């Protein structure tokens, strides 16, 4: 019964969606107009911000407020998870007969861990030059911590310093935004010189913000993973 | 003294009761009485004046108007009078109960809001005061706990329905005329279409019918009256429900105008005749239901409905005599019903909350003042000459007879018979007959209770003998409605077919009493026996059967009791149950299964798409 | 030209993996299929980078190579009741 | 590269993705469902790549395929593995 | 006491240097450029990261980075490459062959390597070479899945599977 | 420019929460208060200047059609003032109320919720609206489950599932709009939308309204509401009911009026609002669990607000906004008050609160006032709202609206019935047990009474709000004016 | 250079395909792992290096990718194989020997 | 427009499969998997909407530098944001699921109905 009803509804929905999408004038003709943001970003984004990756300049400056919100959402998820899992009485460590990882895996993890972290750092530092950026880099770093968890369970993430990193990174983000308000004209404005194109030192505040985002996202996701793994029912 | 100031005193006094109440209860009592009397005095100063104040304070950009004229003053004085008497009565009645600050505050608040209603000069301020009155009344009805709670619920639900209807009516008027003041509306509404006028009037009937306990809307009243604290029952029955009457007069005569009203008809049925017949039904059926009641306050409550029928009948009839009768009956009913409730309250106070007619009896000697009060009140409600009830009923009968409406007249008469019968029962079962053993040591009612009782009795007799005093004011506003002017003198009223002269009547009645007394004094006396002497032929009798007043009108009850069910009440009960059940069913929508909820979301999107496909516009 | 054939062959490889993913009697089989898909995909991405002539796309492939390993390890650790 | 071949590849990848999605829907064993979901994520990432969105492809690969899978696996570990009837 | 601390610290410093060089190299490969900005950033980041993360390399058993070791490593890689190609052709053959000529089984082999990293490399090599696959490792024993079991004896299996890498690895990790 | 601080201050403080935690554990509870005081002052300072002409706050250095920007109009700043007022009251309340769980996390989440709400009402960019809406939603998911008890977690899960589906739909709608117009700026979309007639547009409208409707709790989408409101900690229920739903309504109104402005859909949404009203009230009527009853009452009120808004005249929208304010204040008081009642009596069933009014007079008095205000009795602010709604609905003199108003009143009567039942329970029923309840701490009674003062003051003199309502309604309804103000 | 690279890519792609084919064809998990590990690692290696050869500027990064693949793939496959063994996935019926009981941590498990 | 139609079918199909999973599967984790499928479909749609045929990614490099031949960067930025939001929701959902399982001992949504009507 339920299956029938949902099938009928979904068929209507999908037909409507596909039909409407087919009818809609999507595609290239839409951003040709110069007052459309997309075209503007492509034409002038590089000159204004100095970031070769236009997506990055959009993410960090033009739509930087979205990014702030997005970082906030991850932050919410991290502390929300902490709040949900909080229990006053310390649950005694309840060990299901846990299989420890094989030596190969442990060694491999330990060997790879710094490399992956380095890679994550690379991704977010080069966010304005190549694909990737704060989130991707942060996720890679968090994944490195996840790997550490999976491989060698004796390694613990120092939650306190993670929190500090998270907090500091968030404050730096907001602070750069406010600095833009102070030295420039608007929140999150690019107030540093934009540097030479295609070089590491270009893009004004973008690398700085991306470093902050990278640290923040990495710390938050690592915190989330740690919270999930360390939950003992 | 302006109206605004008066209302501020009234409301302020009501809200500030808590302050002296925090200090001492004595101070609080004094404060309450002082406020009530101040309001009474203040109201009295407006006698004969006609004021129309547009306030500088505006609500939501709408001007508020306070106004007074004969009509308002007439009601206002009744309100503040009944109010202050009840406050005085409460002094001892409420003394040992909890939350007395609350009680006084609400009593004063209700008085103040009723004053506001009658002084209001526009529909908005009317509504504001009306609503304040409604919720304050609700709180006070519920004051007694227990059975009072469902009574309060019934009251407030019906009252809210009414105020909703009022709001629709008022704002429809606003939408049409962009004003809410009475004067502006009344000048403009003459051009309205009959449909619109009847829409407004039907809504108005609903609103005021509910407050007035007109028959299809009466069901809240018996419960509410009987369960409220007695001094408040007096206010409730005496004056609060008359706010509905005021509203009727307002809508029929002030806003719409009687001429326009009488022409509203659908085929052969005119709105006026419907209203008259509703009044007649309201007289007869509740009166006979009252006959069956064993609870003193309930009995009085049902009679309130019956008396309201007279008022509505008089007002809806629309001759100047009828309106005068109805309006006068408002005042009269206020006095004698308040008096009766206060008497019951006194009895209740002394017997510890007993008001079951079957278990009382013979209190005449223990509480003589109360008895006299009850007697005069009963005379008043029956319409005995020498009491004011007689005058107003006479006016109404006269109207009916003059206009050759035998059925209505018969209905009114039937109502009087019923009243007579039931008040015989009432008096007998409480004050006459045998005194149960446990009430042997009953004391007299406290002074603070006796004062209002005596005052009311005095007023009843005074107005019965000198009806010209109130009738003069009534004649004033009746004339202003555009009806034929009334010719009033101190002793009565002069109409085209005859004159009411209370002097003659009084002489007749006094002589009749004298004759009766002579017969009574010289005939053989009956011997009082105690309840324990009842012969029971050795069988054990249930304890309550010792009283021979049990099941007073048993044969009558057996004869027609089954037809006297309150069908309307059952209907409302059914409605409430249906609502509840609907709720129970509708709640099943929230199945608790998250997938269903997602289904709803998808459903509404799909339904919108489907609608768009089928209904392309 | 020849690259398109390469791409199609890789597509076929992915289809085969999907078949194993659907059929695989045990969860391990499916995990193996997923792991294989990852490797195949990494190669695909690198070849696509060649097709699109964008050097920077190689980073994506690198991310694949690094991260899918973690996904597989997570599944494996779950299967051996390790987490 | 010819357009048609690219299109065929895109179409087939789309279909593969949908196939994976159906698997994720059908599998009773939650772990299998998670694996299928990771597969879907993978295919989606390739499609992003085809749509010239390397940033998104990277994010989808890193978040959708690795982290999400791991989180799901952990959650399954802490609860129940098999979808009960 | 002082000596022990010194010894330990030197180990840490050694590991730190190791990691630092490794990371810098990887960074250079990642950026594939020799521009000063990238190099500075790489050195800086590698320094910071190796400062914080060198703990993870403690006890891994890293070989001393001498020219000899490196050359042995290259030899090892070359032999590994050869084996890998062999393995692939072998597996491809078995897979494609319509009759699927396989005789799978699980055998145990022994190793004499001590360092964790060495064991890892051995296991990886075994996994990548013809028809063998490391299932588990415990102490000095490896559990091997063999696609074409030719002997069930532990010594002989060791001979057939592990020894060819072990000899190179021993030299690297000596 | 200052308007951006309305969002940044709570956000920054929430980010800094872990750092403050190193200084002292107790400091966490004061941060929301500080942030809200700051916001309140800012909004009040901004409001007069904003009334004259809307301020556009550029973010990221590009003027409106290109970058994100905040629209500090009368509506936005007014709503942010409301948010900070209720937020301030609730944060003072929470100071004494939240004693269990990870308190610093609670306060951080709470701050984020408020900044999300503020951002959502201020922003002028569609996607940014979505982001802030998500901040609001996600932090409320976490807060609903804050206590970690069975009901809380269960309702949070259900809330989350529905909310996520809703936000997914919003995203699809945004995608369609972006695809068609190549912009996310609401004003620019509004310009172009009149020139295009496409089924995709209708689809986008439906998806956006449905998506935001989940948070706004329009009828078939509101199943999360009773669960979440009844099982969250009471301070959170107050915020959810007082603010979160309102942001949803704001978003729906923005989409309907400013972006699309299509008259056909109004009637449809109006009927949905009416259904919401009826169903909410009827369900509340048959409830015994007091918080659940209040939650269903919120559903009903939402229906009323949506109904009023969809009359789609300046009067109607203004009335809806006044009702929104009144509901925010009253429901906050009710939930805050009931929070302590429930905590003291130990049960949420209505019958366990019998006669509690004598023992906890202040709280019960506040609850009664708020209940009266919700029912729409003078002299409380709810009356003004109801009055305006009826006036606006009847102003068109159409029979259709008269009938609808009849239905609205039917629902109001039902609402009155259960609220009066609650009043009776609190005051006029005999308590079964004679327990001495602990006194309510000042941290609870002060904010409650402050809100009560607002309810009464605004009820007696609602005219203070009238100019704001008028310009806020114009802000919503006057599409051309909005476009002109944003794009110059 | 270009042709050499293309050939390398071709070899890689071929082996990737063969590996996938093996995954489908071989009878049990362990055998599939053999195919999955060796062929795909090898194929990927060749494909990536081939690309590096075609575009010499990309060589270092391609090398890095291939090194990562070479390092991670055996480890993850080993982990999967171990998981299969630990979770008790049975061997194919045609298997000749199972010596896992000689191994310390499987000493007391049932013969699978 | 064959190109885009393919993708439309793909993303709508993914969304529908995700929704179908959410609607019909009893298990909570399954429902969450459905949610993530649904969201993936949406991301795909967003990217498709900004796609221009024959254009390249909006990343300048020394060799590629014509802004006229690049796809619209904005949807990609939006999708990045959306993906992160999605993972946050997912993490929260799963943590709540774990907590719920501690309370109920089951993940069957038919049985997790402590709060209803």
């Amino acid at each position: 019964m339920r299956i029938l009803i949902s099938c009928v509804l979904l068929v209507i929905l999908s037909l409507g969606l596909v039909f409407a999408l087919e009818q809609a004038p999507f595609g290239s003709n839409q951003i040709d107009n110069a007052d459309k943001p997309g075209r503007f970003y492509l034409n002038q984004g590089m000159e204004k911000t100095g970031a070769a990756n236009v997506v990055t300049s959009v993410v960090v400056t033009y739509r930087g407020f979205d990014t702030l919100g997005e970082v906030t959402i991850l932050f919410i998820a991290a502390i929300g998870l902490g709040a949900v899992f909080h229990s006053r009485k310390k649950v005694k460590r309840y060990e299901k007969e846990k299989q420890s990882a094989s030596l190969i895996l442990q060694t491999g993890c330990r060997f790879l861990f710094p490399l992956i972290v380095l890679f994550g750092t690379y991704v977010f530092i080069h966010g304005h030059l190549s694909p990737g950026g704060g989130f991707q880099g942060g996720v890679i770093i968090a994944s490195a911590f996840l790997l550490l968890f999976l491989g060698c369970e004796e390694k613990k993430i120092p939650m306190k310093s993670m929190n500090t990193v998270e907090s500091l990174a968030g404050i730096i983000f907001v602070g750069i935004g406010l600095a833009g308000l102070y030295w420039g004209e608007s929140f999150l404005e690019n107030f540093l010189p934009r540097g030479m194109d295609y070089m590491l030192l270009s893009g004004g505040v973008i690398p700085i913000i991306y470093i902050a985002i990278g640290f923040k996202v990495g710390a938050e996701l690592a915190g989330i993973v740690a919270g999930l793994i360390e939950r003992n029912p | 003294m302006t109206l605004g100031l008066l209302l501020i005193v009234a409301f302020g006094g009501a809200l500030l009761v808590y302050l002296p109440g925090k200090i001492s209860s004595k101070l609080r009592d004094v404060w309450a009485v002082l406020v009530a009397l101040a309001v009474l005095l203040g109201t009295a100063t407006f006698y004969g004046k006609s004021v129309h104040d547009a306030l500088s304070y505006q609500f939501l950009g709408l001007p508020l108007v306070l106004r007074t004229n004969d009509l308002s003053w007439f009601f206002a004085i009744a309100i503040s009078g009944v109010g202050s008497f009840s406050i005085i009565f409460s002094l001892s009645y409420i003394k040992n109960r909890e939350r007395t600050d609350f009680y006084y505050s609400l009593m004063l608040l209700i008085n103040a809001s009723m004053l506001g209603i009658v002084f209001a000069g526009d529909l908005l301020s009317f509504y504001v005061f009306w609503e304040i009155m409604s919720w304050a009344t609700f709180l006070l009805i519920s004051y007694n706990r227990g059975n009072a709670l469902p009574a309060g619920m019934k009251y407030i639900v019906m009252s809210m329905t009414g105020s909703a209807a009022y709001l629709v009516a008022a704002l429809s008027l606003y939408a049409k005329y962009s004003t809410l003041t009475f004067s502006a509306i009344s000048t403009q509404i003459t051009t309205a279409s009959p449909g619109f006028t009847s829409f407004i009037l039907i809504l108005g009937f609903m609103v005021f019918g509910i407050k007035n306990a007109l028959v299809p809307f009466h069901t809240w009243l018996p419960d509410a009256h009987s369960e409220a604290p007695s001094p408040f029952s007096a206010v409730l029955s005496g004056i609060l429900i008359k706010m509905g009457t005021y509203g009727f007069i307002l809508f029929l005569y002030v806003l719409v105008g009687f001429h326009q009203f009488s022409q509203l008809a659908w085929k052969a049925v005119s709105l006026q005749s419907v209203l008259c017949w509703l009044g007649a039904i309201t007289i007869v059926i509740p009166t006979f239901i009252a006959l069956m009641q064993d609870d003193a306050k309930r009995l009085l409550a049902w009679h309130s409905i019956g008396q309201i029928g007279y008022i509505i009948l008089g007002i809806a009839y629309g001759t100047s005599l009828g309106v005068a009768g109805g309006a006068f009956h408002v005042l009269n009913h206020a006095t004698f019903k308040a008096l009766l409730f206060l008497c019951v309250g006194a009895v209740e106070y002394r017997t510890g909350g007993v008001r079951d007619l079957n278990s009382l009896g013979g209190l005449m000697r223990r509480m003589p003042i109360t008895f006299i009060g009850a007697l005069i009140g009963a005379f008043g409600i029956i319409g005995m000459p020498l009491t004011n009830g007689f005058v107003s009923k006479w006016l109404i009968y006269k109207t009916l007879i003059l206009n050759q409406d035998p059925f209505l007249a018969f209905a009114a008469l039937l109502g009087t018979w019923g009243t007579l019968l039931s008040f015989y029962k009432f008096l007998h079962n409480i004050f006459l007959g045998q005194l149960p053993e446990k009430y042997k040591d009953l004391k007299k009612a406290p002074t603070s209770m006796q004062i209002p009782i005596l005052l009311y009795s005095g007023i009843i007799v005074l107005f019965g003998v000198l009806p010209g005093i109130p009738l003069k004011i009534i004649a004033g506003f009746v004339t202003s409605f555009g009806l034929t002017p009334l010719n009033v003198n101190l002793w009565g009223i002069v109409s085209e077919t005859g004159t009411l002269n209370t002097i003659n009547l009084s002489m007749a009645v006094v002589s009749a009493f004298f004759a009766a007394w002579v017969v009574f004094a010289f005939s053989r006396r009956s011997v009082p026996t105690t309840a324990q002497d009842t012969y029971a032929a050795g069988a054990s009798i249930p304890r309550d059967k010792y009283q021979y007043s049990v099941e007073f009108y048993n044969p009558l009850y057996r004869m027609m009791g089954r037809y006297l069910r309150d069908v309307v009440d059952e209907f409302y009960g059914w409605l409430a149950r249906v609502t509840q059940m609907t709720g129970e069913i509708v709640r099943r929508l929230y199945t608790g299964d998250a997938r269903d909820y997602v289904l709803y979301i998808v459903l509404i999107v799909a339904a919108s798409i489907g609608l768009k496909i089928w209904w392309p516009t | 030209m020849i690259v398109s054939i390469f791409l199609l062959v890789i597509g076929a490889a992915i289809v085969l993996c999907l078949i194993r993913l659907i059929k695989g009697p045990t969860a391990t089989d499916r995990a193996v299929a997923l792991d294989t898909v990852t490797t195949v995909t990494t190669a695909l991405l690198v070849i696509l980078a060649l097709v699109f002539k964008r050097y920077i796309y190689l980073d994506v492939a690198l991310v694949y190579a690094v991260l899918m390993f973690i996904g597989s390890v997570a599944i494996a650790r779950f299967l051996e009741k390790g987490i | 590269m010819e357009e048609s071949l690219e299109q065929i590849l895109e179409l087939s990848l789309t279909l593969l993705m949908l196939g994976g999605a159906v698997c994720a829907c059908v599998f009773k064993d939650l772990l299998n469902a998670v694996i299928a979901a990771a597969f879907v994520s993978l295919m989606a990432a390739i499609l992003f790549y085809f749509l010239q969105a390397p940033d998104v492809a990277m994010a989808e690969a890193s978040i959708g395929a690795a982290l999400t899978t791991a989180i799901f696996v952990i959650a399954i570990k802490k609860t129940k593995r098999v979808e009960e009837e | 006491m002082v000596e022990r601390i010194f010894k330990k610290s030197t180990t840490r410093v050694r590991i730190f240097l190791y990691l630092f060089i490794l990371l810098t190299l990887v960074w250079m490969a990642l950026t594939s450029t020799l521009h000063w900005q990238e190099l500075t950033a790489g050195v800086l980041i590698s320094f910071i990261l190796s400062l914080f993360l060198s703990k993870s390399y403690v006890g891994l058993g890293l070989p001393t980075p001498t020219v000899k070791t490196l050359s042995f490593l290259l030899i090892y890689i070359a032999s590994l490459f050869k084996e890998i190609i062999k393995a692939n052709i072998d597996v491809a053959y078995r897979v494609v062959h319509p009759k699927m000529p396989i005789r799978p089984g699980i055998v145990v082999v022994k190793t004499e390597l001590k360092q964790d990293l060495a064991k890892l490399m051995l296991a990886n090599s075994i996994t990548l070479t013809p028809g063998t696959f490391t299932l588990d490792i415990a102490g000095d024993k490896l559990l091997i899945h063999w696609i074409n079991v030719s002997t069930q004896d532990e010594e002989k299996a060791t001979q057939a599977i592990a020894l060819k890498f072990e000899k190179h690895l021993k030299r690297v990790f000596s | 420019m200052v308007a951006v601080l309305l969002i940044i201050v709570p956000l920054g403080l929430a980010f800094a929460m872990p750092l403050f935690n190193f200084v002292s554990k107790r400091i966490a509870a004061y941060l929301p208060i500080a942030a809200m005081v700051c916001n309140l002052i800012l909004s009040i300072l901004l409001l007069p200047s904003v009334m004259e002409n809307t301020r556009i706050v550029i973010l990221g250095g590009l003027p409106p059609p290109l970058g994100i920007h905040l629209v500090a109009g009368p509506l936005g700043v007014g709503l942010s003032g409301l948010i900070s007022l209720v937020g301030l009251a609730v944060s003072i309340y929470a100071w004494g109320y939240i004693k269990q769980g990870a308190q610093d996390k609670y306060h951080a989440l709470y701050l984020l919720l408020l900044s999300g709400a503020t951002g959502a009402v201020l922003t002028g960019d569609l996607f940014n609206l979505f982001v802030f809406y998500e901040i609001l939603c996600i932090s409320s998911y976490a807060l609903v489950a804050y206590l970690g008890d069975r009901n809380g977690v269960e309702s949070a899960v259900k809330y989350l599932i529905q909310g996520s589906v809703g936000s997914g739909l919003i995203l699809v709608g945004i995608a369609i709009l972006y695809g068609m117009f190549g912009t996310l700026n609401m004003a620019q979309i509004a310009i172009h939308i009149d020139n295009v007639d496409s089924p995709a547009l209708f689809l986008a409208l439906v998806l956006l309204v449905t998506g935001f409707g989940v948070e706004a709790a329009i009828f078939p989408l509101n199943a999360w509401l009773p669960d979440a409101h009844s099982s969250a900690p009471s301070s959170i229920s107050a915020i959810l009911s007082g603010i979160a739903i309102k942001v949803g309504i704001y978003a729906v109104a923005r989409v309907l009026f400013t972006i699309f402005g299509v008259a056909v859909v109004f009637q449809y949404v109006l009927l949905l609002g009416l259904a919401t009203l009826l169903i909410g009230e009827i369900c509340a009527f048959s409830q015994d669990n007091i918080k659940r009853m209040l939650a269903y009452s919120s559903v009903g009120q939402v229906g009323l607000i949506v109904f009023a808004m969809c009359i789609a005249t300046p009067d109607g929208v203004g009335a809806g906004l006044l009702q929104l304010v009144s509901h925010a204040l009253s429901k906050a008081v009710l939930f805050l008050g009931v929070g302590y009642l429930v905590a003291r009596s130990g049960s949420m069933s209505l019958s366990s609160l019998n006669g509690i009014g004598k023992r906890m007079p202040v709280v019960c008095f506040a609850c009664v006032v708020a209940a009266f205000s919700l029912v729409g009795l003078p002299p409380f602010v709810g009356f003004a709202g109801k009055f305006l709604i009826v006036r606006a609905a009847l102003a068109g003199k159409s029979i259709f609206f008269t009938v609808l108003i009849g239905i609205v009143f039917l629902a109001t009567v039902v609402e009155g019935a259960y609220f009066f039942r609650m009043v009776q329970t609190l005051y006029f029923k005999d308590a079964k047990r004679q327990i001495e309840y602990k006194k309510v701490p000042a941290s609870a009674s002060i904010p409650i009474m402050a809100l009560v003062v607002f309810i009464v003051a605004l009820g007696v003199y609602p005219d203070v709000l009238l100019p704001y309502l008028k310009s806020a309604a114009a802000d919503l309804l006057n599409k051309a004016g909005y476009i002109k103000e944003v794009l110059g | 250079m270009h042709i050499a690279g293309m050939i390398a890519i071709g070899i890689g792609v071929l082996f990737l395909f063969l590996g996938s084919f093996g995954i489908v064809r071989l009878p049990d998990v362990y055998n599939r792992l053999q195919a999955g590990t060796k062929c795909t690692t090898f194929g990927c290696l060749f494909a990536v290096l081939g690309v590096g050869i075609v575009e010499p500027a990309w060589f270092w990064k391609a090398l890095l990718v291939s090194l990562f693949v070479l390092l991670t793939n055996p480890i993850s496959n080993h982990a999967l194989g171990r998981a299969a063994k630990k979770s008790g996935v049975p061997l194919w019926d045609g298997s000749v020997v199972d010596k896992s009981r000689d191994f310390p941590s499987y000493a007391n498990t049932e013969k699978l | 427009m064959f190109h885009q139609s393919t993708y439309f079918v793909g993303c709508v199909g993914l969304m529908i499969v995700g929704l179908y999973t959410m609607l019909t599967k009893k298990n909570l984790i399954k429902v969450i998997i459905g949610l993530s499928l649904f969201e993936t479909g949406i991301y795909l749609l967003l990217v498709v909407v900004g796609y221009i045929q024959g254009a390249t990614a909006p990343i300048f490099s020394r060799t590629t530098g014509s802004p006229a031949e690049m796809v619209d960067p904005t949807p990609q930025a939006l999708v990045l944001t959306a993906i992160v939001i999605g993972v946050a929701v997912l993490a929260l959902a799963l943590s709540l699921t774990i907590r719920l399982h501690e309370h109920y001992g089951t993940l069957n949504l038919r049985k997790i109905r402590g709060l209803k009507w």
Side-chain angles (χ1 to χ4, degrees), chain E residues 97-148:
Chain E
H97 195 283
K99 280 188 194 155
M100 269 206 301
I102 52 173
R103 291 179 70 232
I106 292 179
V107 294
V108 178
V109 299
K110 275 181 103 151
T111 173
E112 288 167 14
L113 294 171
K114 294 284 177 291
Q115 293 93 339
D116 287 353
L117 198 61
K119 282 179 186 167
L120 168 70
M121 288 174 92
L122 177 65
N124 275 4
S125 314
I126 291 174
T127 305
L128 290 173
T129 47
T132 50
F133 182 89
T134 320
L135 282 182
D136 205 347
I137 188 167
D140 58 347
K141 283 189 173 178
L142 288 124
L143 194 64
I144 305 284
H145 181 261
W146 203 351
I147 204 164
N148 192 15

Side-chain angles (χ1 to χ4, degrees), chain B residues 375-446:
Chain B
L375 188 65
I376 291 177
F379 281 179
I381 199 167
I382 294 162
M384 293 282 247
L386 270 191
T387 59
N388 52 8
F390 169 73
V391 182
S392 49
K393 282 193 177 176
W394 182 84
L395 289 171
I396 292 166
Y397 285 134
K398 182 117 187 169
T399 314
L400 297 175
I401 292 164
L402 279 180
N403 287 282
Q404 295 165 353
D405 220 335
F407 295 109
L408 289 178
F410 178 70
L413 201 60
L414 207 60
T416 309
W417 291 343
T419 317
L420 181 66
L421 285 176
S422 59
F423 275 92
Y424 177 60
K425 172 183 175 182
F426 175 80
L427 284 178
H428 176 272
N429 278 15
I430 295 179
F431 295 104
L432 308 177
Q434 291 163 320
L435 182 69
E437 203 59 26
K438 55 182 171 184
Y439 300 135
K440 270 272 180 321
D441 309 326
L442 226 54
K443 282 197 280 246
K444 267 194 264 189

Side-chain angles (χ1 to χ4, degrees), chain B residues 204-276:
Chain B
F205 291 164
M206 205 173 131
V207 186
F208 303 120
I210 285 170
K211 193 61 64 166
N212 229 337
L214 203 63
V215 149
F217 312 118
H218 65 279
T219 57
W220 64 272
L221 192 143
D223 296 336
H225 280 50
S226 54
E227 297 300 340
S230 288
F232 180 62
S233 298
V235 173
L236 195 58
S237 179
I239 201 68
L240 201 145
I241 59 174
K242 306 303 187 309
M243 288 302 106
T245 313
Y246 175 75
F248 265 114
I249 296 176
L250 192 72
F251 267 49
L252 282 185
Y253 294 98
V254 179
L255 286 185
V256 177
F258 183 76
H259 180 67
Q260 224 171 334
F261 165 60
S262 59
Q263 291 180 348
L264 296 173
W266 182 72
K267 305 237 165 118
V269 186
S270 76
L271 205 54
Q272 187 191 6
S273 60
V274 170
L275 195 57
C276 288

Side-chain angles (χ1 to χ4, degrees), chain B residues 57-61 98-99 127 131 135 138 142 145 149 153 164 175 583 587 590 592 597 600 608 612, chain F residues 158 162 202 220 222-223 268 282 286-287 358 377-378 383 397 409 417 420 424 427 430 459-460 463:
Chain B
Y57 162 76
Q58 293 195 334
F59 187 84
L60 293 170
E98 61 179 3
R99 240 190 247 137
Y127 180 75
E131 282 293 80
W135 60 255
F138 159 75
S142 310
R145 310 183 162 206
L149 301 183
M153 281 312 295
R587 271 166 61 189
Y590 301 100
Y597 302 158
Y600 296 154
S608 308
K612 180 73 176 174
Chain F
K158 290 176 183 169
Q162 293 169 59
F202 176 79
N222 57 9
Y268 180 59
I282 287 177
S286 49
Q287 281 295 330
K358 204 174 161 191
L377 300 179
F383 164 65
K397 296 175 211 163
F409 274 120
F420 285 113
Q424 282 188 337
Y427 276 110
D430 294 318
V460 172
D463 293 41

Side-chain angles (χ1 to χ4, degrees), chain D residues 1 16 20 31 42 51 57 83:
Chain D
M1 188 171 72
L16 280 175
L31 187 69
L42 216 68
L51 290 167
E83 181 184 359

